Amino acid sequence: MENEVLKNMLEANHRTLITDEEGNEKFVADSEGVRDLNYVFHKRKELLEDSVVYKDLFGGANAIFCILGGAKKAYTKVASKVAIEICKENNFELHYEETIPFVLSNNGVTICPIENASKTSKDLSVALKEVEKVIEFIKTKKVCPIVR
């Protein structure tokens, strides 16, 4: 059922879908990147608790939001190796069809600074703070910082 839900979501041009374990829709959105799960994690966290998350592309920050938000599992078409590693280290169930080394930045060449921030620490609360710093920087400066 889950792969069919993911397929239908992608065909409808949605990028994020959150359901309960029975498949009842709790949240759907179309924004690129981490915007949707960042919003849910910070403003409507109860939607993540005991949920199933479907994403078109699943990077490290999405993994952090799902795990710390209490989601049960996630399904995606494409997962970054960064996200896969975070999920494995935290015993989070992630199903994916394809892998990529990392999520690319908007320039299409270098690693996304949010993806880079998500791998700064194995302690997810520390990594979350780094992700939040980068997101805030991007919002205020409208440019991508270099995260080391």
Side-chain angles (χ1 to χ4, degrees):
M1 174 186 115
E2 287 82 6
N3 286 337
E4 192 66 28
V5 172
L6 179 62
K7 181 180 170 223
N8 292 339
M9 178 196 84
L10 294 172
E11 285 176 356
N13 292 318
H14 298 309
R15 296 179 185 270
T16 304
L17 172 66
I18 300 173
T19 69
D20 61 20
E21 289 195 88
E22 288 78 43
N24 300 308
E25 186 178 296
K26 295 167 79 174
F27 179 85
V28 64
D30 305 326
S31 298
E32 291 183 347
V34 300
R35 283 187 190 111
D36 300 334
L37 286 182
N38 181 48
Y39 166 79
V40 171
F41 182 81
H42 288 95
K43 305 284 187 193
R44 310 256 339 258
K45 200 175 206 172
E46 73 280 359
L47 295 176
L48 281 173
E49 293 170 9
D50 298 319
S51 69
V52 179
V53 175
Y54 300 86
K55 284 288 295 169
D56 60 336
L57 173 64
F58 202 84
N62 287 324
I64 292 168
F65 293 141
C66 286
I67 294 165
L68 294 180
K72 291 284 188 192
K73 56 187 168 182
Y75 291 82
T76 186
K77 179 146 181 75
V78 181
S80 73
K81 289 184 179 178
V82 174
I84 294 167
E85 187 63 28
I86 290 169
C87 291
K88 282 182 183 174
E89 289 172 356
N90 291 278
N91 299 313
F92 182 77
E93 188 178 336
L94 175 63
H95 301 266
Y96 52 91
E97 296 175 17
E98 302 169 33
T99 63
I100 55 175
F102 50 81
V103 175
L104 292 173
S105 66
N106 290 338
N107 69 19
V109 178
T110 58
I111 187 170
C112 169
I114 298 170
E115 177 89 341
N116 205 29
S118 71
K119 63 181 190 157
T120 56
S121 176
K122 293 194 184 295
D123 180 336
L124 293 188
S125 60
V126 172
L128 174 63
K129 287 181 179 151
E130 293 303 313
V131 165
E132 290 170 336
K133 284 182 197 173
V134 173
I135 289 171
E136 192 55 38
F137 185 87
I138 291 170
K139 278 187 201 173
T140 59
K141 302 297 182 197
K142 305 290 184 218
V143 295
C144 291
I146 296 174
V147 178
R148 297 186 199 280

